[in-house]
Amino acid sequence: MTQDENAVIEVPAAAKRSVVAYLAVAATVVLLMMLFGLWMRLAQGELATLAPDRFYQILTIHGAGMVGAIALASVAVQWFFLNKYLDLSARVFVANLGLFLIGVVAILASVFLGGFAGGWTFLYPLPAHSMGIWGRGAAALFMGGLLVIGTGFLLLYLDIGRALLARYGSLWRSLGVPQLLGSTQSAPPAAVIAGTMVLIVNTLGIVAGAAILVMSLVNLYDPAFRIDPLLAKNMIYFFGHVFINATIYMAITAVYEILPVYTGRPWKSSRVFIAGWVASTVMVIIVYPHHLLMDFAMPEWAEVVGQVISYTSGLPVLVVTSYGALTIVHRSGIRWDLASGLLFLSAFGWAAGVIPAIIDATIVVNQQMHNTLWVPGHFHFYLLIGVVSMVFGFMSYLARGGRAPSPTRGGMLDGVAFWGFVLGSLGFVAMFLYSGSHSVPRRYAVHLAQWEPYDRIASLFAAVVVLAVAVFLLRFFRNLRNAVRAEA
Amino acid sequence: MYQALALKLTIVFVGLVMAAFIYVAARAGRRREYAEVQTRAYRIRGYWFWLLVLLGTPVMLYTMTRLPYSLAAQQAGQAQTVRVTGHQWYWSLSQDSVAAGRPVVFEVTSADVNHGMGIYDENMRLVAQTQAMPDYINRLAYTFKQPGDYRLLCLEYCGVAHHNMSAVLHVTAAGVH
């Protein structure tokens, strides 16, 4: 196959505008949340002032904001490419953005006006036990905001489910299971298989999250309505685990769809590929007990499942998707630019990030690493170097009109920003992991003096990441403006 | 201590993944037929899969022979017992002194929200932990090898003074307690 330098993804203009709106909102929120993250690391290193109550408010906003914004950006990536294969409702897509913004306003009000600092995981019964720091209304506003955001996503998934069923007849078929079992018919595209997986797991995750949010809201106003704390923890971590992991499975669609354009090589849905996705569908659902390994009251078999499935969960990433990215790029004649560079980097970020995650999911290790900075170390690895790279790689590609490779090189600024992001991100997550290996607890507003040097070095790397992402965002807006002018 | 091992393993394996990506990126510019690349890559993928399985399975199985969950029940007869209750924002302990060299069973619960009881040695190294949950008692067994003043820190976010939640556990030399 020859490389098509002018390959254009055919997506309706109105749908493209909606996707741009999603990405503009999400990427701006990501940058703001990064600034909050930098502020927290600076404060831990005694390089900035941040009172503890304010620190935990910022921590709460950082967690909720990042999870929400990354989910918003990732679903935009997935929806964009699913439009190539499915008849999706643009109205539902826009409605999700509207509900997201309503939820964001509620969350911002709950934190900055109501003083809510219960953490983005709203771990029952903390929202109702603030020790007078925040009121019941603030907690309700936060959880209500999450509920509204979750409702928007659920509506969107239902629409994707409707479209999948209309085209393929069953999720079984759109997941490619018949081909896995030997059917010789051509398998669904990678984006459709990934979309089906996300639809299945995230619908379950969001429903569980919505249920525990409603239960917590009832408890807030009627304390006699008590929830089993272990049940609540299971529901929250099931929801949280599935929802944040789904961002990777949505955003990876950019790798599947764009690297083939850059390399002139197809990303086919082989049987190995389908097997990886079918296995991931099951594993993402049942692996969540690895968040509860230090809850000794959990059934021991569930903890064992948490460790075993954490190990096997690494296989589809390491053997299928990231290995596939290496294969498609190897000796391909690819021309590197910001989009292709970030997408290739994202495959590394995901693959490498699972390594400290698997190590932490080993029960005996977890007993000395759980809730230390090792944990944000591994999830920032695959969310920052993985998902954020996928999103900005896609944005860079989209802003140029979906053409590849770039007819004109992005210049030195793109290169500096890219390498700044690479080195800054690696240094930033390395400091989290190093601090975790030195037992520094996560979610501490105040650090011991002996931990502060780690925080200061981490702050330096974080500042580099923030600058690089600011450049990515500015380039996105500038290229969009140029694209609009060119069309006019 | 698993922390140092975890860090070393992470550096080695992340380094290997990074090396693979750098190798491919460095050679990506010169184009070769995809069929040729695929044939070789799929053969290597088979080896890669089995290498991961053969490396990961023994580690996974071996580490599960050391699960902490039933240790407390096994050591109940000979152990010293410390009941620990988490509160916003302090720990209450049934006793603040134990002897080294003999198992200690911590019966950990909470009076309000979720906490996490992390035991730190004098070098501020986390040696063991379990969650402190309302309505549940988590039983953690641990044998202190060295005497000294250990600190109990909270390892589950529990509100705005979470970082201040600390208590001292005195571990005396074996036979002194």
Side-chain angles (χ1 to χ4, degrees):
Chain A
M1 182 181 286
T2 56
Q3 185 167 323
D4 180 3
E5 295 203 345
N6 295 309
V8 178
I9 292 170
E10 298 294 342
V11 175
K16 187 179 163 187
R17 280 196 294 275
S18 306
V19 169
V20 167
Y22 260 68
L23 294 169
V25 170
T28 305
V29 174
V30 164
L31 182 61
L32 287 173
M33 294 305 112
M34 283 182 169
L35 284 168
F36 281 152
L38 172 61
W39 192 9
M40 288 190 288
R41 295 301 272 145
L42 286 168
Q44 287 171 329
E46 293 274 348
L47 293 174
T49 307
L50 191 56
D53 54 344
R54 183 64 84 178
F55 177 94
Y56 292 116
Q57 288 173 13
I58 298 291
L59 182 80
T60 301
I61 273 288
H62 176 81
M66 276 301 193
V67 171
I70 287 295
L72 195 73
S74 301
V75 85
V77 172
Q78 185 182 50
W79 193 85
F80 180 85
F81 289 113
L82 283 178
N83 257 287
K84 287 173 66 179
Y85 313 108
L86 304 173
D87 180 19
L88 297 168
S89 164
R91 285 185 181 179
V92 173
F93 187 61
V94 173
N96 180 42
L97 181 60
L99 288 170
F100 179 85
L101 291 171
I102 292 169
V104 166
V105 170
I107 289 170
L108 288 172
S110 91
V111 171
F112 291 120
L113 299 179
F116 182 76
W120 92 268
T121 50
F122 56 91
L123 192 55
Y124 173 85
L126 181 58
H129 289 256
S130 75
M131 299 290 279
I133 303 294
W134 63 83
R136 195 164 54 181
L141 205 52
F142 184 86
M143 292 193 286
L146 288 184
L147 202 54
V148 170
I149 290 172
T151 304
F153 274 92
L154 190 57
L155 285 174
L156 188 55
Y157 288 126
L158 290 176
D159 184 58
I160 292 172
R162 174 200 56 73
L164 283 168
L165 292 177
R167 172 80 190 264
Y168 293 93
S170 72
L171 299 182
W172 184 260
R173 290 183 62 202
S174 61
L175 192 56
V177 179
Q179 286 76 15
L180 179 63
L181 299 177
S183 168
T184 52
Q185 285 185 322
S186 64
V192 169
I193 291 171
T196 305
M197 180 271 196
V198 171
L199 166 72
I200 294 168
V201 303
N202 228 7
T203 301
L204 294 172
I206 291 171
V207 168
I212 187 60
L213 278 166
V214 171
M215 289 159 74
S216 298
L217 281 165
V218 173
N219 167 265
L220 207 55
Y221 286 94
D222 180 10
F225 175 82
R226 288 181 54 77
I227 310 168
D228 183 309
L230 190 56
L231 173 68
K233 221 177 204 180
N234 273 266
M235 293 175 77
I236 288 169
Y237 286 127
F238 174 71
F239 151 69
H241 174 86
V242 168
F243 193 75
I244 196 61
N245 273 271
T247 65
I248 313 175
Y249 296 113
M250 291 189 287
I252 193 66
T253 315
V255 173
Y256 294 155
E257 290 279 344
I258 298 173
L259 283 185
V261 178
Y262 271 79
T263 58
R265 294 170 167 177
W267 194 304
K268 286 188 175 166
S269 304
S270 65
R271 287 179 73 185
V272 170
F273 179 87
I274 297 169
W277 277 91
V278 170
S280 292
T281 307
V282 178
M283 291 191 294
V284 167
I285 292 170
I286 62 175
V287 76
Y288 83 93
H290 68 195
H291 295 276
L292 298 153
L293 297 178
M294 290 302 103
D295 288 283
F296 288 24
M298 283 283 286
E300 193 164 330
W301 63 263
E303 310 287 40
V304 168
V305 167
Q307 174 170 335
V308 171
I309 302 301
S310 296
Y311 274 62
T312 55
S313 291
L315 291 173
V317 187
L318 291 167
V319 178
V320 181
T321 290
S322 288
Y323 192 85
L326 288 172
T327 306
I328 202 170
V329 168
H330 187 57
R331 300 282 196 196
S332 66
I334 191 171
R335 202 181 303 167
W336 294 112
D337 64 8
L338 191 56
S340 58
L342 283 171
L343 291 171
F344 189 67
L345 174 69
S346 74
F348 161 74
W350 190 11
V354 302
I355 292 162
I358 289 172
I359 289 172
D360 187 40
T362 307
I363 293 166
V364 290
V365 177
N366 193 262
Q367 203 172 8
Q368 294 178 355
M369 307 291 264
H370 181 62
N371 279 348
T372 67
L373 286 180
W374 188 271
V375 181
H378 73 64
F379 72 66
H380 278 88
F381 212 132
Y382 47 74
L383 294 178
L384 177 61
I385 307 178
V387 182
V388 171
S389 298
M390 291 172 199
V391 168
F392 279 100
F394 172 71
M395 286 168 65
S396 174
Y397 178 74
L398 183 70
R400 288 200 323 272
R403 293 171 194 278
S406 173
T408 55
R409 287 187 177 275
M412 189 188 282
L413 188 59
D414 273 1
V416 169
F418 174 78
W419 286 108
F421 182 76
V422 171
L423 298 175
S425 301
L426 281 172
F428 176 66
V429 298
M431 287 316 298
F432 265 146
L433 293 170
Y434 186 77
S435 303
S437 74
H438 284 71
S439 302
V440 182
R442 70 186 289 206
R443 295 175 174 148
Y444 264 37
V446 181
H447 276 183
L448 298 179
Q450 69 214 62
W451 299 333
E452 287 173 1
Y454 313 151
D455 305 327
R456 290 173 185 170
I457 297 169
S459 300
L460 182 66
F461 285 119
V464 174
V465 173
V466 168
L467 286 174
V469 168
V471 172
F472 295 162
L473 193 56
L474 289 173
R475 299 281 294 172
F476 173 69
F477 285 124
R478 204 194 71 171
N479 287 340
L480 266 184
R481 193 188 59 193
N482 292 345
V484 169
R485 279 183 183 166
E487 282 174 17
Chain B
M1 289 297 176
Y2 290 104
Q3 290 101 329
L5 182 62
L7 188 64
K8 284 175 190 161
L9 288 175
T10 298
I11 291 169
V12 168
F13 287 115
V14 169
L16 287 174
V17 173
M18 190 184 287
F21 274 79
I22 291 171
Y23 174 83
V24 168
R27 282 159 178 74
R30 292 173 56 190
R31 189 173 175 83
R32 220 184 250 173
E33 277 307 305
Y34 195 30
E36 190 188 331
V37 172
Q38 272 181 313
T39 305
R40 187 155 171 252
Y42 290 166
R43 193 176 65 241
I44 296 171
R45 184 173 68 185
Y47 298 135
W48 174 229
F49 172 79
W50 286 111
L51 178 70
L52 289 173
V53 170
L54 291 173
L55 271 177
T57 306
V59 173
M60 181 179 76
L61 293 175
Y62 175 70
T63 55
M64 286 194 300
T65 62
R66 300 175 164 212
L67 298 184
Y69 306 118
S70 56
L71 283 179
Q74 291 167 15
Q75 298 175 344
Q78 50 180 330
Q80 311 160 80
T81 302
V82 181
R83 284 183 295 282
V84 181
T85 305
H87 306 259
Q88 287 173 304
W89 289 283
Y90 62 95
W91 296 106
S92 62
L93 282 68
S94 62
Q95 62 187 72
D96 62 3
S97 180
V98 295
R102 275 179 56 209
V104 181
V105 171
F106 293 92
E107 296 182 345
V108 185
T109 188
S110 167
D112 38 51
V113 300
N114 284 277
H115 302 277
M117 187 200 72
I119 306 172
Y120 280 74
D121 68 14
E122 291 189 325
N123 297 317
M124 290 308 288
R125 183 73 62 168
L126 180 59
V127 297
Q129 65 172 303
T130 188
Q131 290 272 298
M133 245 192 308
D135 301 349
Y136 284 89
I137 297 172
N138 287 331
R139 291 181 172 81
L140 164 70
Y142 185 75
T143 303
F144 293 93
K145 294 185 181 72
Q146 299 292 330
D149 286 348
Y150 288 69
R151 286 175 68 176
L152 304 187
L153 298 187
C154 184
L155 288 181
E156 187 63 63
Y157 177 61
C158 59
V160 299
H162 165 58
H163 57 281
N164 282 336
M165 205 169 146
S166 174
V168 176
L169 181 72
H170 306 288
V171 178
T172 58
V176 173
H177 184 67

